[in-house]
């Protein structure tokens, strides 16, 4: 037996394990973090993907002792005070799951894909990068849509947070974005850009909640789109679904 120590989902943990204990076993059996699934045990399905020091890894492929001293994040560590990670929210919104068995691994892989490729990652790249994650239910299109959607929601959250909006305002804006599920017409991005969306949502929210501590200048600072910062009209008659 040996002792391992690591940070899992931001908390220090330790355990007495056999040398042969896999990381996935340690997470599931010692820590009871059963959101990380075991679908094959032969490194093929991706149901066991977690992040080790910020990088996705199939936790059935490494020993727990190899993660000694590491920062490990599992699906249970993504939500923040009850608020889903944007990628989790996007999987829910896009029906990116049926039985849900592959979903924790899909979400963890999707976050790593966006981390490495940026929020404008294209569909062929998403499909190629998800080759190591197998789903028996969905046919993949809704999963690919969820990854694209999640990357946009994620960027929107980062943009808004970076502009030092009041936390309550950020949450309301995001809830509203999810509720509306629209992108303003006229945006050159195929499915809408987060900054323009933030402007549209900000206008709408301001009308609904006049006391929100936001104004357009806080939202109009994204470098992605050249038109950002210019006034534009949000036409509620011509909303497009994402
Ligand atoms: Fe790890 Fe299938 S259980 S890849
Ligand atoms: Fe069932 Fe993917 S949702 S295996």
């Amino acid at each position: 037996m040996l002792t391992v120590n690591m940070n899992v989902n931001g908390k220090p943990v330790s355990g007495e394990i056999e040398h042969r204990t896999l990381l996935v076993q340690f997470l599931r059996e010692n820590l009871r973090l059963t959101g990380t699934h075991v679908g094959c045990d032969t490194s093929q399905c991706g149901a066991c993907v977690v992040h080790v020091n910020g990088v996705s890894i199939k936790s059935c492929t490494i020993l727990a002792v190899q993660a000694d001293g590491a920062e490990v994040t599992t699906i249970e560590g993504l939500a923040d005070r009850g608020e889903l990670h944007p990628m989790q929210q996007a999987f829910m919104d896009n029906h990116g799951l049926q039985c849900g068995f592959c979903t924790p691994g899909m979400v963890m892989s999707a976050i790593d894909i966006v981390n490495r490729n940026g929020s404008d990652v294209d569909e062929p790249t998403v499909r190629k990068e998800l080759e190591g994650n197998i789903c028996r239910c969905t046919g993949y299109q809704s999963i690919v849509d969820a990854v694209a959607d999640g990357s946009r929601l994620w960027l929107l959250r980062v943009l808004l947070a970076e502009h030092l909006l009041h936390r309550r305002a950020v949450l309301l804006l995001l809830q509203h974005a999810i509720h509306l599920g629209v992108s303003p017409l006229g945006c050159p991005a195929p499915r809408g850009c987060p900054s323009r969306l933030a402007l549209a949502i900000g206008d709408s929210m301001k009308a609904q909640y006049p006391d929100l501590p936001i104004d357009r200048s806080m939202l109009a600072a994204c470098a992605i789109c050249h038109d950002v910062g210019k006034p534009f009209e949000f036409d509620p008659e011509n909303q497009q679904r994402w």
Side-chain angles (χ1 to χ4, degrees), residues 24 37-49 58-61 132:
V24 69
H37 292 163
V38 179
C40 67
D41 248 347
T42 52
S43 188
Q44 307 205 16
C45 73
C48 63
V49 171
K58 291 177 173 174
S59 59
C60 74
T61 64

Side-chain angles (χ1 to χ4, degrees), residues 97-103 135-138:
L97 64 149
Q98 288 184 35
C99 78
F101 192 84
C102 70
T103 312
C135 175
R136 292 168 294 183
C137 304
T138 68

Side-chain angles (χ1 to χ4, degrees), residues 12-72:
V13 299
S14 64
E16 293 287 316
I17 58 169
E18 293 183 53
H19 291 70
R20 64 181 177 174
T21 302
L22 298 170
L23 178 59
V24 69
Q25 289 176 301
F26 180 66
L27 294 171
R28 287 180 56 85
E29 294 165 23
N30 291 60
L31 304 183
R32 305 304 300 160
L33 293 172
T34 53
T36 301
H37 292 163
V38 179
C40 67
D41 248 347
T42 52
S43 188
Q44 307 205 16
C45 73
C48 63
V49 171
V50 299
H51 293 176
V52 176
N53 293 329
V55 176
S56 68
I57 193 162
K58 291 177 173 174
S59 59
C60 74
T61 64
I62 67 167
L63 298 167
V65 68
Q66 290 177 282
D68 192 34
E71 294 283 340
V72 177

Side-chain angles (χ1 to χ4, degrees), residues 16-238:
E16 293 287 316
I17 58 169
E18 293 183 53
H19 291 70
R20 64 181 177 174
T21 302
L22 298 170
L23 178 59
V24 69
Q25 289 176 301
F26 180 66
L27 294 171
R28 287 180 56 85
E29 294 165 23
N30 291 60
L31 304 183
R32 305 304 300 160
L33 293 172
T34 53
T36 301
H37 292 163
V38 179
C40 67
D41 248 347
T42 52
S43 188
Q44 307 205 16
C45 73
C48 63
V49 171
V50 299
H51 293 176
V52 176
N53 293 329
V55 176
S56 68
I57 193 162
K58 291 177 173 174
S59 59
C60 74
T61 64
I62 67 167
L63 298 167
V65 68
Q66 290 177 282
D68 192 34
E71 294 283 340
V72 177
T73 306
T74 70
I75 191 77
E76 290 92 343
L78 293 185
D80 181 12
R81 283 161 283 191
E83 182 187 353
L84 292 179
H85 186 283
M87 197 59 78
Q88 291 175 299
Q89 185 68 51
F91 268 72
M92 199 166 88
D93 293 345
N94 288 275
H95 310 292
L97 64 149
Q98 288 184 35
C99 78
F101 192 84
C102 70
T103 312
M106 287 285 183
V107 170
M108 300 308 286
S109 292
I111 290 171
D112 188 53
I113 290 169
V114 176
N115 272 337
R116 286 183 290 102
N117 294 279
S119 61
D120 56 349
V121 58
D122 58 25
E123 182 170 329
T125 305
V126 172
R127 287 184 178 277
K128 182 165 181 6
E129 297 257 359
L130 280 179
E131 277 178 358
N133 292 74
I134 295 172
C135 175
R136 292 168 294 183
C137 304
T138 68
Y140 295 99
Q141 186 58 52
S142 52
I143 290 175
V144 173
D145 290 345
V147 176
D149 208 13
S151 69
R152 281 192 293 272
L153 271 180
W154 192 0
L155 178 59
L156 176 59
R157 190 179 290 186
V158 169
L159 280 173
L160 295 175
E162 277 180 357
H163 287 89
L164 302 177
L165 289 178
H166 188 277
R167 180 169 172 78
R168 176 73 181 145
V170 173
L171 289 177
L172 283 170
L173 283 166
L174 287 168
Q175 284 166 3
H176 207 59
I178 291 160
H179 174 69
L180 280 176
V182 297
S183 72
L185 279 184
C187 177
R191 299 181 75 196
C193 113
S195 187
R196 281 177 171 270
L197 180 59
L199 284 171
I201 296 163
D203 287 348
S204 170
M205 290 297 296
K206 196 71 179 170
Q208 214 174 327
Y209 305 97
D211 294 335
L212 276 183
I214 59 170
D215 64 48
R216 291 189 119 225
S217 65
M218 291 174 171
L219 301 171
C222 172
I224 293 173
C225 174
H226 298 307
D227 289 339
V228 165
K230 296 178 188 168
F232 81 102
E233 297 302 319
F234 178 59
D235 180 359
E237 295 296 315
N238 288 301

